[in-house]
């Protein structure tokens, strides 16, 4: 079911914005070079941004809409992008803002889970307990190598929305705590605590799946 | 006084994620590194979690934008 109801208006797709009209040759040059610069920065990020949109919305159509809205907004505010800084983080911040405002609030209605009950679960501690495994190259490595994309994705997707967002932005997109705080409009301390609890929950779920799939032995 | 000697295993484990995320201040990072150099148990635990985070990142960054969305973005940029 599609839930993202972003600002995309398909009827505007064919409109030509005045920036491109040749009234002022100099302006046309500026607009063209601005667009070219934007395109050069955006192109190599498109796969990653689409993946990020997909991880947020968990729906291909919504992800396409969210990506398009993000591109539109990023272009509109491109003058504010500080050249030489992280364009991916800047664009992801816009995407996160759009996602939170358009979709995330609805997604978390009635689902305010704090994960307070999550203990500090650790796969390494479980393996150590089971096998006296110290060095990660032994049974630990075998478990890691068998954790596939689908299993990992299922574990992260099972997190409550607030935690899922932060874990994805940190662990998949590689944003810093400060960048996540800005993107999600939450304090850095909240980023840390959600990440801490979210990661422990992901480990707990991965351990359960690993046992179900026979990757790890069941804990007695 | 050398504050770095006081890091316990509990301190090191509490800072695990901030260390792996490169979010510690330089003196905090040094303190953790000194502890890890001396404590095999914590070092292996750190290595495992670092490899797990690498695994998550590697496995989850495989999407490719479909041709349809690339065309859509191209059309959008052309219209601006």
């Amino acid at each position: 079911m599609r839930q993202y109801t972003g600002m995309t208006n398909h009827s505007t797709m064919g409109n030509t914005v005045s920036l491109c009209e040749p009234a002022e040759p100099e302006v046309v040059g500026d607009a063209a070079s601005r667009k070219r610069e934007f395109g050069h920065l955006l192109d190599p990020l498109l796969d990653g941004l689409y993946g990020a949109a997909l991880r947020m919305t968990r729906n291909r159509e919504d992800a396409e809409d969210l990506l398009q809205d993000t591109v539109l907004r990023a272009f509109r505010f491109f003058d504010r992008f500080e050249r030489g800084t992280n364009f991916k983080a800047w664009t992801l911040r816009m995407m996160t803002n759009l996602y939170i405002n358009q979709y995330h609030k609805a997604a978390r209605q009635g689902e305010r889970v704090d994960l307070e009950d999550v203990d500090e679960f650790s796969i390494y501690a479980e393996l150590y307990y089971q096998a006296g495994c110290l060095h990660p190259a032994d049974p630990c490595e075998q478990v890691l190598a068998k954790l596939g994309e689908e299993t990992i994705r299922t574990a992260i997707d099972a997190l409550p929305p607030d935690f899922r967002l932060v874990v994805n932005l940190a662990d998949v997109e590689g944003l810093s705590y400060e960048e996540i705080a800005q993107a999600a409009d939450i304090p850095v301390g909240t980023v840390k605590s959600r990440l801490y609890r979210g990661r422990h929950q992901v480990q707990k779920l991965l351990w359960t799946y690993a046992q179900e799939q026979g990757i790890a032995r069941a804990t007695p | 006084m050398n504050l770095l000697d006081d890091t316990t295993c509990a301190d090191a484990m509490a800072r695990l994620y901030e260390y792996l995320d490169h979010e510690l201040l330089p003196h905090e990072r040094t303190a953790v590194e000194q502890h890890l150099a001396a404590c095999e148990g914590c070092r292996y635990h750190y290595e495992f979690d670092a490899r797990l985070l690498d695994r998550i990142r590697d496995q989850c960054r495989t999407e490719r934008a479909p041709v349809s969305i690339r065309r859509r973005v191209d059309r959008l940029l052309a219209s601006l």
Side-chain angles (χ1 to χ4, degrees):
Chain A
M1 186 179 71
R2 300 189 61 195
Q3 295 184 64
Y4 176 75
T5 51
M7 61 186 188
T8 302
N9 179 347
H10 299 277
S11 66
T12 64
M13 294 272 296
N15 289 356
T16 303
V17 176
S18 58
L19 274 176
C20 297
E21 291 175 356
E24 295 277 347
E26 204 175 304
V27 172
V28 169
D30 284 350
S33 67
R34 180 176 182 267
K35 196 188 287 193
R36 199 162 44 243
E37 184 191 6
F38 182 79
H40 282 315
L41 287 169
L42 181 71
D43 191 58
L45 299 181
L46 215 47
D47 288 333
L49 289 173
Y50 174 71
L54 200 54
R55 283 183 282 279
M56 287 182 196
T57 62
R58 294 183 291 178
N59 175 302
R60 293 194 180 274
E61 280 184 81
D62 286 345
E64 290 198 12
D65 285 348
L66 178 59
L67 178 57
Q68 178 171 311
D69 291 349
T70 302
V71 170
L72 196 57
R73 178 175 285 201
F75 185 76
R76 276 185 187 153
F77 291 100
F78 189 44
D79 290 339
R80 296 190 196 173
F81 171 65
E82 200 176 320
R83 302 307 192 264
T85 60
N86 188 340
F87 185 66
K88 183 185 175 191
W90 185 78
T91 314
L92 273 173
R93 191 192 310 171
M94 301 218 167
M95 179 181 283
T96 307
N97 286 156
L98 283 168
Y99 167 70
I100 287 174
N101 289 326
Q102 304 290 346
Y103 171 83
H104 189 61
K105 282 177 183 169
R108 59 197 272 237
Q109 284 279 331
E111 199 184 347
R112 297 298 297 271
V113 181
D114 288 334
L115 285 184
E116 279 178 0
D117 295 335
V118 173
D119 49 20
E120 296 183 3
F121 189 90
S122 156
I123 294 177
Y124 180 79
E126 291 296 319
L127 288 167
Y128 184 87
Y129 172 75
Q130 278 192 356
C133 153
L134 262 181
H135 196 279
D138 299 329
C140 304
E141 184 57 38
Q142 293 171 26
V143 171
L144 276 179
K146 288 178 184 167
L147 290 175
E149 179 182 0
E150 196 178 332
T151 304
I152 293 170
R153 176 55 39 215
T154 305
I156 295 177
D157 281 353
L159 293 174
D162 288 340
F163 294 83
R164 183 162 53 84
L165 182 66
V166 170
V167 167
N168 270 324
L169 289 176
D171 292 353
V172 186
E173 313 308 340
L175 296 196
S176 70
Y177 294 177
E178 182 62 39
E179 286 167 341
I180 296 170
Q182 287 180 7
D185 198 22
I186 52 177
V188 169
T190 306
V191 173
K192 282 188 201 175
S193 68
R194 286 184 185 171
L195 199 50
Y196 185 84
R197 284 183 272 169
R199 281 171 169 170
H200 281 293
Q201 177 70 1
V202 167
Q203 289 211 22
K204 193 173 187 176
L205 291 169
L206 285 176
W207 181 246
T208 304
Y209 301 150
Q211 289 178 328
E212 287 171 359
Q213 295 168 19
I215 297 169
R217 283 192 291 130
T219 306
Chain B
M1 186 177 94
N2 187 355
L3 293 172
L4 306 180
D5 293 337
D6 295 333
T7 304
T8 64
C9 292
D11 293 335
M13 293 320 299
R15 291 176 176 172
L16 185 150
Y17 287 142
E18 286 173 271
Y19 177 85
L20 297 179
D21 293 331
H22 304 282
E23 295 279 353
L24 289 177
L25 296 170
H27 72 279
E28 295 171 325
R29 187 165 185 86
T30 305
V32 170
E33 283 170 350
Q34 288 200 347
H35 179 81
L36 296 182
C39 179
E40 192 177 61
C42 285
R43 186 164 72 248
Y44 287 158
H45 194 141
Y46 264 57
E47 284 178 20
F48 179 83
D49 274 48
R51 293 169 82 91
L52 177 60
L53 290 177
D54 286 346
R55 182 81 187 165
I56 289 173
R57 192 158 300 171
D58 290 346
Q59 291 291 304
C60 291
R61 292 175 79 160
T62 55
E63 287 88 0
R64 293 284 172 270
V67 175
S68 61
I69 188 66
R70 285 193 170 272
R71 285 191 186 133
R72 203 166 149 183
V73 169
D74 286 346
R75 279 200 306 269
L76 178 68
L77 289 179
S79 74
L80 294 172

